[in-house]
Structures are given as structure tokens and as C-alpha cells.
Amino acid sequence: KQWYQRRVRGVLKILLTWKSCYHSSTSGSNSVTANLKGAFLGVTYPIGSIRVWNRMDQCCDQRINGAKVWAGEELCGTIEFEESKVYYDFNCEGHEASSVSVSLSGQHLQVCEIEVFVEEEDLPKVPEYSNVALGRPTSQSSIGWGGSASRAVDGDTNQYWNGKSCTHTSQTKGNWWMVELDNEEYIHSVIVHNRLDCCQNRINTAQVWVQKGDDYEECGEIKYDGSSVYTISCDQWGSGIKITNNNSYLTLCEVEVIALEEAPSETMDM
């Protein structure tokens, strides 16, 4: 059988010194998740198996013992550590999911690669889409600490302030950020990458709006739950996106405006 293989990183590297391994910052309750292509569009895959690659240099390879491997909310198996074993395979029996994850409690989590296998004939059709905000003109209510508005559409999803790719307002009230699109687009959703090194909860209650002429219609509100990325559904035509926050500084490390190449048929006559 031929299989679809979705790699989280691209190139297989299993030495931590090669800088291609995930490492949690604490030994508490940890997880790493990979969203498959089109996940935010509701696309799911019948997952045949998942392969998890362990760290193999002279440190800590046994830490992966007890890690659980998931296809969505379905448990595919638990890793039982074996000396010198490079990767672990788990049969997911075709469970439908849009993401896969590895979780571990009571220990640092280290994962150097996750591969997902799906039978080729079972691959779903993923609608064509693009990020129409990339590189477009932006503005915001104020600039604090050099966090200019254009940083949110530079294509860099670095979520740490020192990466110099996050916006920042100078005020704690009445904040807004805007991006002007090239054309009126059918906007499926807006993906907001939150800051991770500090102050993550500031994004709570931020509102996402779609511009329609001189007016704006709300797509939704971000409810902070500890996630690093938030997807807000819009499903409507618009020429721009505005994000507001009246309760704290507004910091955005990337904003993606997802437009479908072909709008749903029920919207064609609008």
C-alpha cells in the first residue's frame, strides 16, 4: 500500500544538538501537537499509523517512557521505552482526526519527529486556500517598544518577543490592529499567533472583525485557554480585518487571513 506521510519538521534528525527536537520547559503535564493540512478547514484524515522519533544522544532517551500517542482524541498507544530504539510505531486503525499529538506527565517531553501515515486512496480533498494578509498594508492604534503593525504579516510565526516579529501597542486600553487586503475576499477564518514568552493572557477577549465597506462585522472573540494559536471563523466576504482589545496591550506575533480560492456555492450570489 502507498501511504501519505506528513512530517512535522521536514528532515529526520534525532540528535538534540542538531536543533530539530522538541523539548518541554517543565516536567509537568506536557504535550506537542501537529495539525494536519487543512485542519482549520475541518478536514480530517483516516490515520493508519503514527511514528514517533526519540532523542538518541547521550542524554535522557528514557524520558519518553509512558508518553501517550493520540490521533485527535483517540489513544493510539503508549510508548514503552526500549534501549537504543530510535522510533516507535502505533496503529491508529484509520481513526479520523485533523491533528496528532504526544503527551507525557511527570517528566520532560522530548520528541525529535512525528510522522503520520494515511493510505493514499483515502486522502481527503483539501480546499485551495491562501493567506491573503501576507505582506499587506497594516496599521494599529499605537506602537510600543518597537512593535510595529507590519510584524504581524511578515510571514514569521516566531512567538517570542526577542524574535522581533510581534506587534505591541503602547496603551492598555482602546487598542486596535488592521490589515488591508488587496481585493474583497471570501474570508474563511483568521488565525492569530499569540505571544508565548510573556503575558499570554493579554489576548483574552480580543475581538476579530471583518471590514465591509465603511463598516465592520464581528467574526468572533478570542477566549484565552493557554493555547498558542487561535482560529476565529468568519465565513463572509470582506476587504480587511481588524482586531481590537479594550482590556490590555495588544500583541500579535502573526495574523493569517485565510481566503478560499472558491467560495461556498451558497455565497456566490451575494
Side-chain angles (χ1 to χ4, degrees), residues 99-171:
S99 65
V100 300
S101 60
V102 179
S103 64
L104 181 64
S105 296
Q107 182 57 275
H108 288 282
L109 176 60
Q110 300 172 146
V111 175
C112 292
E113 192 80 16
I114 301 173
E115 294 181 280
V116 181
F117 298 89
V118 178
E119 291 192 51
E120 190 172 34
E121 61 267 28
D122 292 334
L123 284 174
K125 182 179 179 180
V126 179
E128 294 293 327
Y129 63 89
S130 58
N131 173 19
V132 293
L134 186 62
R136 294 298 303 158
T138 56
S139 57
Q140 65 185 26
S141 54
S142 61
I143 299 176
W145 297 273
S148 60
S150 61
R151 287 183 172 187
V153 294
D154 61 2
D156 186 351
T157 58
N158 189 321
Q159 292 169 275
Y160 292 82
W161 181 253
N162 287 341
K164 298 181 180 180
S165 186
C166 298
T167 71
H168 203 307
T169 60
S170 64
Q171 306 297 319

Side-chain angles (χ1 to χ4, degrees), residues 46-93:
I47 297 176
S49 63
I50 298 173
R51 175 173 292 176
V52 179
W53 294 74
N54 192 21
R55 176 177 177 177
M56 293 300 293
D57 53 328
Q58 300 300 313
C59 171
C60 324
D61 55 344
Q62 75 283 356
R63 286 177 175 174
I64 204 166
N65 186 57
K68 298 183 183 299
V69 180
W70 306 82
E73 297 183 357
E74 182 77 10
L75 179 63
C76 295
T78 301
I79 293 176
E80 296 181 5
F81 173 73
E82 296 181 30
E83 193 74 37
S84 301
K85 189 168 184 177
V86 179
Y87 60 79
Y88 298 83
D89 287 326
F90 296 92
N91 184 359
C92 297
E93 300 180 344

Side-chain angles (χ1 to χ4, degrees), residues 67-262:
K68 298 183 183 299
V69 180
W70 306 82
E73 297 183 357
E74 182 77 10
L75 179 63
C76 295
T78 301
I79 293 176
E80 296 181 5
F81 173 73
E82 296 181 30
E83 193 74 37
S84 301
K85 189 168 184 177
V86 179
Y87 60 79
Y88 298 83
D89 287 326
F90 296 92
N91 184 359
C92 297
E93 300 180 344
H95 181 76
E96 290 281 343
S98 59
S99 65
V100 300
S101 60
V102 179
S103 64
L104 181 64
S105 296
Q107 182 57 275
H108 288 282
L109 176 60
Q110 300 172 146
V111 175
C112 292
E113 192 80 16
I114 301 173
E115 294 181 280
V116 181
F117 298 89
V118 178
E119 291 192 51
E120 190 172 34
E121 61 267 28
D122 292 334
L123 284 174
K125 182 179 179 180
V126 179
E128 294 293 327
Y129 63 89
S130 58
N131 173 19
V132 293
L134 186 62
R136 294 298 303 158
T138 56
S139 57
Q140 65 185 26
S141 54
S142 61
I143 299 176
W145 297 273
S148 60
S150 61
R151 287 183 172 187
V153 294
D154 61 2
D156 186 351
T157 58
N158 189 321
Q159 292 169 275
Y160 292 82
W161 181 253
N162 287 341
K164 298 181 180 180
S165 186
C166 298
T167 71
H168 203 307
T169 60
S170 64
Q171 306 297 319
T172 58
K173 299 290 183 181
N175 294 300
W176 56 264
W177 174 93
M178 295 177 57
V179 60
E180 175 187 338
L181 306 182
D182 188 37
N183 299 294
E184 187 176 44
E185 302 278 359
Y186 183 78
I187 301 170
H188 174 274
S189 54
V190 176
I191 302 174
V192 178
H193 297 254
N194 192 25
R195 180 177 174 178
L196 289 183
D197 59 322
C198 167
C199 328
Q200 295 93 319
N201 61 341
R202 288 177 177 173
I203 199 72
N204 189 46
T205 71
Q207 295 173 294
V208 178
W209 307 78
V210 61
Q211 184 176 7
K212 293 177 171 291
D214 295 329
D215 297 323
Y216 292 87
E217 291 188 16
E218 185 178 356
C219 293
E221 181 178 283
I222 295 175
K223 299 185 186 302
Y224 177 73
D225 60 5
S227 300
S228 62
V229 180
Y230 295 87
T231 300
I232 304 297
S233 296
C234 283
D235 290 316
Q236 52 186 311
W237 292 90
S239 58
I241 289 294
K242 184 177 185 179
I243 299 176
T244 60
N245 188 348
N246 292 318
N247 299 315
S248 187
Y249 293 107
L250 180 58
T251 297
L252 306 166
C253 292
E254 192 71 15
V255 177
E256 299 176 79
V257 179
I258 304 302
L260 300 182
E261 297 297 320
E262 184 175 332

